[in-house]
Amino acid sequence: MKKNIAVFGTGCVGLVTAVGLADIGHNVTAVDTDLNRVKDLKKGYLPFYEPGLKKLMKSVLTAGKIRFTADSSRAVAENDVIFVAVGTPSRPDGRADLSQIRNAFDSIIENLDSGKTIVIKSTIPPGTVRSLQEQHSAELDAAGGQIVFCPEFLREGTAVHDFYHPDRLVIGSSSGEAARLVDDIFFPVAGKLDVPVLKCSPVSAEMIKYSSNVMLASRIAVVNELAEMSEAVGADIHEITAGVGLDKRIGGAFLQAGPGFGGSCFGKDVSGIVAAAEYHGVDLSLVREILTSNARQRQRPAVKLENAVGSLRGKRVAVLGLAFKAETDDVRGSAAFDVIEYLINKGAVVRAHDPEAEYNFIRAFMKKGYNCAGGVEEALRKADAVIILTEWELYKRLTPQPLIENMRGRIIIDTRNILNEKLFVNEGFTLFGTGRKEQKPKARSRNRSEFVNAAIVSM
Ligand code: UGA
C-alpha cells in the first residue's frame, strides 16, 4: 500500500532509498539540512556518481513521486513514516559519531504526532534504538510513535541494483505492527522476489549490520594476507580462491585480493564495534586485528615498487584509480591516500588519474608532490612505473601501446590483477600483481640472423 514517507539524509543510502521507495510507488519527501544540495536535487543534479541513479531520479522527479526540502518540521508533519539515513562517521576514538542521528531525532520528536513510525537506516551501534527510546519515551508514548531499525546492505557503485535485489530484509522492532509496516513498504521489492525477511529485536538488527561488515572486512583481510603468502611461495591467489571458494561453506564471492579494503563503511564499522565492545567490557582482539592487517596491505603497493626500483627519489609514478572501488566517485578510505602519501614522502613525483574521483581526491588530499592528470595517457607520460589501484573498466581495457608510447620505465604494479599479464610481459614490462609471482620479460633469445651478425662482428 502506498505510504507517505520522509527520508532524512541524501547521501548514498538516503538518496537511493528515497528514489527507490518513490519508484516502487510511495510518496516520498527527501530531507536534507544542506540548502544548496536541496536546490540541486530539485533540479535533478546528483551530489555523487552512482550508476543508474540519474535515470531513476529523473523518472521519479518528472512523475512528481519525490520532492526535496530542507524543512524537516513540515516533512515530519506531512508524512506517516520517517526514514533516517544520515551519516554516522567514526570519531577519533573509533566510536560512531551519532550527532547527525541526534539532530535528526530532535526535529522528528519535536513534530511527532499520532502514531508515526521512525525507521533508522543509518548504521548504529548496538543499544542505540534502546537509548533513543528511553531518551524520548515521553514523546514517543504520547504520540504512539515507534522506532524500527532496518539495516541497509547496499554497496556504493551497485546501490540501485542492490535496492531492487536485496539478499534479505532485516527488521529490528519491538512492535509487531511497526515491523509489518516496514515489511509492507518494501513488499514491491522484497515480497515480489521472495526475499527472506528476518524480524528481530532492534539490538539484534544493530548487531546484524555490524557483524555483516565485520565478516566481509575480515574475509578481505584474510584473502589479502593469503595473497601475500602466495607471492612468497610462488602460488597464484586466483587459483587458491577458486579452489577454496568451491567449498560451499566458504563460497567464491567477495574473495578478490587487492590493495586493502577502503570506503566509508568497513573501517568505520570494524572500529565502531571494537569501541562498542570495549564500552561493554568485551575484548574483540581478532576483529581489531583486521584494521592493523588492512593498514599494512594498503602500504604494500608502494613498498613493492620501492623494492623493485631501489629508491623512489625522483621517480615518476602514474597512479591509476583514486576511488576506493570502481563505479563510484567516493574516495573515502581509498588506498590511494596511503599509496600516494608513501610515494611522495619517499621523494617520488606522482601523476594520478581517475575517471570520476579526481575532484573529490584533490579536495581531500591537499599535498605537494602529486597532481591529477585528467587523462590516462597524461598520467603515464614519462612515468617510470604505474600503479593501478581501482578496477575501473577503463584500466581493465588497457593495452601495452599507450604505456609503451608514454612511459619511460617498464614497471607495472597491478594491485587488482586486472591486466592480461602475458600481453604486457611480451612487450617488455615487469608486472607485479597481488598474490601472484612477479612476471618479468624473458631474456630475448637471439634469432638466427642475429647469431650470424654476431659471428661476423667477432671475426
Ligand atoms: C559495504 C558492504 O558491502 C555493504 O553491504 C554495506 O551496506 C556497506 O558497506 C555499508 O555498510 O554501507 P561498500 O563499502 O560500498 O559496501 O563496498 P564493497 O563493495 O563492500 O567494498 C568495500 C571495499 O572492499 C572496497 O575497497 C573494495 O575494493 C574491497 N573489496 C571488496 C575487495 O578488496 N575485495 C573484494 O572481493 C570485495
Side-chain angles (χ1 to χ4, degrees):
M1 220 179 44
K2 187 173 180 164
K3 293 275 179 274
N4 292 329
I5 301 173
V7 179
F8 276 60
T10 59
C12 183
V13 170
L15 194 55
V16 172
T17 305
V19 170
L21 289 173
D23 185 55
I24 62 174
H26 302 292
N27 206 357
V28 177
T29 304
V31 188
D32 205 291
T33 47
D34 181 339
L35 277 172
N36 286 331
R37 182 175 276 224
V38 170
K39 268 189 208 156
D40 283 348
L41 286 166
K42 281 180 176 174
K43 291 184 209 145
Y45 301 149
L46 296 182
F48 50 83
Y49 171 71
E50 184 63 41
L53 188 57
K54 204 172 180 175
K55 196 169 155 215
L56 201 60
M57 169 91 156
K58 197 173 167 204
S59 116
V60 292
L61 210 49
T62 320
K65 294 177 179 172
I66 194 166
R67 59 184 206 96
F68 295 95
T69 181
D71 186 346
S72 48
S73 314
R74 211 169 136 190
V76 177
E78 290 178 355
N79 288 283
D80 309 317
V81 187
I82 323 295
F83 275 65
V84 178
V86 294
T88 51
S90 273
R91 291 167 21 144
D93 63 2
R95 284 195 289 158
D97 176 352
L98 298 178
S99 53
Q100 292 181 51
I101 292 270
R102 285 199 200 95
N103 290 343
F105 259 76
D106 286 346
S107 51
I108 294 168
I109 295 292
E110 253 174 44
N111 297 284
L112 203 67
D113 56 11
S114 62
K116 292 191 199 277
T117 303
I118 305 165
V119 182
I120 303 179
K121 277 264 150 201
S122 316
T123 299
I124 45 173
T128 306
V129 168
R130 192 186 301 138
S131 76
L132 287 167
Q133 257 158 352
E134 281 166 10
Q135 197 184 336
H136 301 292
S137 63
E139 297 93 329
L140 287 165
D141 288 349
Q146 295 291 342
I147 306 177
V148 176
F149 179 54
C150 177
E152 186 51 71
F153 301 106
L154 53 77
R155 297 158 295 172
E156 288 182 33
T158 53
V160 173
H161 171 273
D162 294 348
F163 178 86
Y164 291 96
H165 303 90
D167 285 346
R168 77 290 213 193
L169 177 61
V170 176
I171 306 174
S173 172
S174 34
S175 147
E177 199 186 329
R180 271 193 299 282
L181 171 76
V182 176
D183 198 354
D184 283 351
I185 288 173
F186 286 102
F187 183 79
V189 176
K192 283 204 178 129
L193 292 178
D194 228 357
V195 166
V197 178
L198 180 79
K199 291 179 182 161
C200 58
S201 66
V203 71
S204 289
E206 289 162 341
M207 277 299 289
I208 289 171
K209 173 62 197 185
Y210 267 120
S211 308
S212 300
N213 276 359
V214 165
M215 296 292 282
L216 292 168
S218 68
R219 199 167 158 96
I220 299 165
V222 169
V223 93
N224 282 335
E225 288 202 353
L226 296 175
E228 202 174 345
M229 177 70 182
S230 302
E231 286 166 27
V233 298
D236 184 326
I237 192 66
H238 283 224
E239 292 172 355
I240 297 166
T241 50
V244 169
L246 285 172
D247 184 326
K248 288 201 180 76
R249 295 170 302 173
I250 299 171
F254 227 74
L255 284 177
Q256 285 297 321
F261 62 75
S264 62
C265 304
F266 286 172
K268 163 179 81 80
D269 293 348
V270 173
S271 309
I273 196 167
V274 168
E278 272 164 18
Y279 174 80
H280 290 282
V282 181
D283 181 16
L284 298 188
S285 56
L286 181 60
V287 176
R288 193 184 306 113
E289 273 308 306
I290 296 171
L291 295 172
T292 319
S293 171
N294 194 54
R296 196 168 49 79
Q297 292 302 330
R298 292 157 59 98
Q299 299 275 322
R300 287 219 305 134
V303 173
K304 256 186 212 172
L305 178 60
E306 188 174 32
N307 292 341
V309 295
S311 163
L312 289 166
R313 187 147 301 280
K315 294 285 182 304
R316 296 173 72 101
V317 185
V319 171
L320 301 185
L322 299 170
F324 79 96
K325 63 186 239 183
E327 298 303 334
T328 177
D329 61 356
D330 195 349
V331 298
R332 286 175 295 172
S334 170
F337 290 107
D338 300 46
V339 169
I340 296 179
E341 175 109 52
Y342 189 102
L343 294 173
I344 59 181
N345 283 346
K346 293 287 181 106
V349 177
V350 175
R351 296 216 82 187
H353 173 265
D354 191 286
E356 293 291 341
E358 290 186 357
Y359 175 71
N360 284 342
F361 195 83
I362 292 170
R363 281 202 327 170
F365 193 72
M366 290 182 197
K367 295 209 169 156
K368 282 190 184 150
Y370 93 99
N371 60 23
C372 284
V376 177
E377 300 209 357
E378 193 53 38
L380 295 171
R381 198 145 299 151
K382 295 205 174 83
D384 296 292
V386 53
I387 302 183
I388 301 175
L389 291 177
T390 314
E391 70 285 21
W392 285 104
E393 277 302 319
L394 179 68
Y395 306 150
K396 286 185 188 170
R397 289 199 303 265
L398 270 178
T399 60
Q401 210 47 39
L403 280 74
I404 293 168
E405 279 166 14
N406 290 289
M407 290 175 68
R408 66 181 183 200
R410 291 288 179 266
I411 294 178
I412 303 172
I413 313 281
D414 175 13
T415 67
R416 303 276 185 171
N417 299 334
I418 55 176
L419 298 182
N420 178 335
E421 285 180 331
K422 270 197 195 128
L423 216 59
F424 287 84
V425 170
N426 288 345
E427 294 295 341
F429 286 91
T430 299
L431 218 118
F432 298 83
T434 300
R436 35 172 59 168
K437 265 193 317 203
E438 139 194 8
Q439 300 289 323
K440 277 188 174 154
K442 289 198 179 67
R444 206 160 62 92
S445 56
R446 291 192 289 181
N447 63 27
R448 201 179 127 70
S449 65
E450 281 173 327
F451 272 117
V452 174
N453 289 341
I456 294 167
V457 168
S458 63
M459 267 171 33

